[in-house]
Amino acid sequence: MSDYLQDEENFTSQKFDWLVWKKIFMFMKPLKKTAILGLLAVMVLAITDIIYPYISAFAIDDIIRPNIDSTVVDFSKLPLLITYFVIFMIVQATMVYLFIIYAGRIQNELAFSIREKAFNHLQELPFSYYDRTRVGWIMARMTSDSRNLSEVLSWGLIDLVWGVFLMVFLTIFMFIINWQLAIVILAVVPILTAVSIFFRKYILKAYRSIRKVNSKITGAFNEDITGAVTTKTLVLEEQNYHEFDILTSDMRKQSIRAHLIQAVFFPTMLFIIFIGMALVYNVGGNMVITGAISVGTLYLFTNYVWQFFDPVNNIANFYARFQQAQASAERIVSLIETEPDIVDKEEVIAKYGTIFEYKRENFEPLIGKVEFKNVSFKYNVGETVLTDFNLKVKAGQSVALVGHTGAGKTTIVNLISRFYEPTAGEILVDDVDYRERSIGWLHSNLGYVLQTPHLFSGSVMENIRYGNLKATDEEVIEAAKAVEAHSFIMKFEDGYNTECGEGGSRLSVGQKQLVSFARAILADPKILILDEATSSVDTETEQLIQTAINKLLKGRTSFIVAHRLSTIVHSDLILVLDGGQIIESGTHRELIKKKEAYYKLYTNQYSEEMLELSKR
Ligand SMILES: Nc1ncnc2c1ncn2[C@@H]1O[C@H](COP(=O)(O)OP(=O)(O)OP(=O)(O)O)[C@@H](O)[C@H]1O
Ligand SMILES: [Mg+2]
């Protein structure tokens, strides 16, 4: 939690960051036309805003005034007034319509293209990125940051441009009509601006601390909800309640403070505007008496004092939000520019395509021979896991990896999958260094059933079909039957249409495993990797899983990280690992006879089962 906040802070720099904005503006490029049209619309809108009080001034000076002075009522100019009004209304309505359309389009397109780019990039980033980056961090970039940024670059920017135009046009217009009154008003504007910026900064700061508390609360929510069951078993409810109470009280205090600042802010602004009005009435009123200006003109200027209120506010608002948006931009750019450390070489991409667009026609058929040649490996953090590791596996062989926790079993299969690459040495698939072929080539021939199988929300049918998106319903059912999943699926009320729930939460662990087997067999990979679940399932399910595994392995090169003896017995080759080294290898029979590491490992763990099996 705390390092998450640290990240948020790290990116909040004060200076204008050209480089980052240049990169973000690349996303704006396709929207150039829309942006220009939107800006034109707000420019025209600013002009109509200035003209509006002018129409009233016209009514005062040319229609009301003459009628007060004379005895004959003269409404001959009324049609002209109505015409002005109608034109004004049409133009203003059109401009408002247009700028909302354009700003909305920019906001949505921008958010879309940023998210699309970031999402695609996330697909390219390897396991190692997810090792060191928290999901919460990524989620925040994809949601609030991209929203923040696209809002500021659409509505924010348009507000700013409107504000600037309005102020510039107003100033020019006022000077044309009466420079003395213009000066009176312009004397107030800087004070208005300064006060506005001052308050905006405070309000922003208050909101920033609210957000901080809020993310703490969300974090606590997250922990408390995901850990609800553990909480109950550990009787931590009261403790959690207290922690939560402290956080939410803090939130309340901060929120009240933010509103207090706003409550002071607006009256202060009004006060300054009223001073401006008083000055205009004072100076302008005298001018009306001496006949230097008309009543309409005086009205016009009192109106213009008000008209500075919105643009000044908008500009101060933009200024405040801009810094936040820049922080968002910096974080998004940092995500998008994270170099994936596992990428295909250019010539490989040229031949085999990218991970988004395979050139399947160039894919060599994968036979399934796998070889580790003097492979050393080390994760980004921590010590070297493998040193000079060698292993030769023939096509179609089934290999079981056993060993204590932390021995390097998962590491080895992750290397085969090219989720990580060797730090030294090479891994050959079909006698070719797999870096000479594409990631797509390997992955489209490789099936991996994870230690903790993950299902997506969606139906059972959809979840199996992820193995091969082109499979028909019949093929999906066929696959389920092959791995003994059919019968339990049919026992569900909705059969194959049963919703799996987020992460497959509505299925038991054993069921999830069978579904992921079905998914793997549907994909029909040449190399199959199975990181067996450690959690025990009942004997009946175990039997099912065992039969399923045996079917799954047929005709493929397979690597099984095995915890159950029943899985290993039939393997062609068992590797006993310790500290990243193969300390023993052979078949089950050979290793049992040897009565060394393998024997010990399993007599300790499964003494009874072992007894049974050694009799076979
Ligand atoms: N993502 C990672 N980053 C850094 N070190 C890691 C990472 N994953 C594993 N390690 C380290 O590499 C070593 C081998 O771990 P590995 O996951 O391969 O063990 P394992 O044999 O699969 O264990 P288990 O039976 O518990 O699954 C361990 O010392 C572990 O701490
Ligand atoms: Mg493991």
Side-chain angles (χ1 to χ4, degrees), residues 131 379-382 385 403-412 420 451 531 561 563:
D131 284 347
Y379 287 99
N380 282 322
V381 288
V385 182
H404 292 296
T405 180
K409 304 179 294 285
T410 304
T411 306
I412 289 170
Y420 299 91
Q451 200 161 9
D531 205 342
V561 177
H563 297 280

Side-chain angles (χ1 to χ4, degrees), residues 230-484:
T230 317
T231 301
K232 287 189 190 302
T233 54
L234 296 178
V235 204
L236 289 173
E237 286 98 336
E238 198 183 335
Q239 158 93 5
N240 279 357
Y241 171 74
H242 273 299
E243 281 171 11
F244 205 70
D245 196 36
I246 293 167
L247 280 177
T248 43
S249 310
D250 198 18
M251 176 85 166
R252 187 180 57 200
K253 252 190 287 176
Q254 303 271 15
S255 305
I256 292 174
R257 204 172 78 94
H259 282 106
L260 200 72
I261 300 171
Q262 278 191 326
V264 180
F265 169 53
F266 282 101
T268 312
M269 292 290 278
L270 287 181
F271 184 71
I272 298 165
I273 285 176
F274 283 130
I275 290 177
M277 294 260 281
L279 287 173
V280 169
Y281 276 125
N282 197 335
V283 179
N286 279 324
M287 289 176 167
V288 172
I289 293 167
T290 60
I293 59 167
S294 66
V295 177
T297 308
L298 179 62
Y299 166 81
L300 202 61
F301 275 86
T302 56
N303 234 287
Y304 286 161
V305 180
W306 274 108
Q307 287 223 349
F308 273 99
F309 183 79
D310 277 340
V312 161
N313 248 336
N314 278 357
I315 292 169
N317 196 13
F318 182 83
Y319 171 78
R321 290 186 57 187
F322 179 79
Q323 286 187 348
Q324 249 176 293
Q326 178 163 299
S328 293
E330 282 170 2
R331 289 190 293 252
I332 287 172
V333 167
S334 89
L335 165 61
I336 289 171
E337 294 198 334
T338 308
E339 289 284 340
D341 35 18
I342 295 175
V343 277
D344 285 326
K345 292 184 285 193
E346 250 166 63
E347 57 268 30
V348 171
I349 290 178
K351 183 169 176 198
Y352 298 102
T354 65
I355 60 163
F356 296 112
E357 227 173 299
Y358 295 166
K359 289 185 184 163
R360 271 184 203 282
E361 64 279 12
N362 294 336
F363 282 7
E364 287 86 358
L366 196 147
I367 315 294
K369 233 172 121 180
V370 177
E371 184 178 349
F372 280 64
K373 229 172 165 179
N374 306 324
V375 169
S376 294
F377 179 74
K378 173 182 178 314
Y379 287 99
N380 282 322
V381 288
E383 298 182 352
T384 305
V385 182
L386 299 183
T387 318
D388 258 333
F389 188 84
N390 285 290
L391 174 68
K392 261 188 187 175
V393 176
K394 290 188 211 109
Q397 227 178 3
S398 64
V399 181
L401 304 163
V402 300
H404 292 296
T405 180
K409 304 179 294 285
T410 304
T411 306
I412 289 170
V413 291
N414 280 345
L415 280 167
I416 296 169
S417 314
R418 208 175 157 192
F419 292 141
Y420 299 91
E421 283 176 356
T423 14
E426 51 185 3
I427 293 174
L428 311 179
V429 175
D430 294 349
D431 299 319
V432 183
D433 186 338
Y434 65 6
R435 284 171 290 205
E436 297 299 326
R437 303 259 168 92
S438 75
I439 297 170
W441 170 79
L442 182 68
H443 285 184
S444 59
N445 284 300
L446 184 123
Y448 194 151
V449 180
L450 292 174
Q451 200 161 9
T452 43
H454 184 89
L455 301 189
F456 297 97
S457 43
S459 68
V460 174
M461 179 75 82
E462 284 166 345
N463 263 289
I464 298 177
R465 192 173 282 133
Y466 281 122
N468 175 7
L469 296 175
K470 290 192 195 105
T472 61
D473 286 2
E474 287 71 36
E475 285 167 324
V476 169
I477 295 169
E478 207 48 52
K481 278 185 181 158
V483 296
E484 314 289 337

Side-chain angles (χ1 to χ4, degrees), residues 159-168 170-171 185-200 265-266 268-270 272-273 304-320:
D159 268 357
L160 173 77
V161 171
W162 173 80
V164 170
F165 274 125
L166 188 61
M167 285 172 71
V168 171
L170 261 180
T171 309
I185 291 181
L186 287 184
V188 182
V189 173
I191 305 172
L192 213 56
T193 314
V195 170
S196 186
I197 288 179
F198 173 80
F199 273 100
R200 280 285 162 201
F265 169 53
F266 282 101
T268 312
M269 292 290 278
L270 287 181
I272 298 165
I273 285 176
Y304 286 161
V305 180
W306 274 108
Q307 287 223 349
F308 273 99
F309 183 79
D310 277 340
V312 161
N313 248 336
N314 278 357
I315 292 169
N317 196 13
F318 182 83
Y319 171 78

Side-chain angles (χ1 to χ4, degrees), residues 39-87:
L39 295 183
L40 275 177
V42 288
M43 227 159 100
V44 178
L45 191 66
I47 295 173
T48 60
D49 284 334
I50 295 168
I51 288 173
Y52 178 64
Y54 194 74
I55 298 174
S56 302
F58 168 79
I60 294 170
D61 284 345
D62 291 349
I63 302 174
I64 301 170
R65 253 325 273 268
N67 279 318
I68 296 171
D69 292 343
S70 87
T71 45
V72 193
V73 180
D74 173 18
F75 278 149
S76 61
K77 283 188 177 164
L78 204 56
L80 195 61
L81 179 73
I82 293 170
T83 315
Y84 283 160
F85 239 116
V86 171
I87 293 175

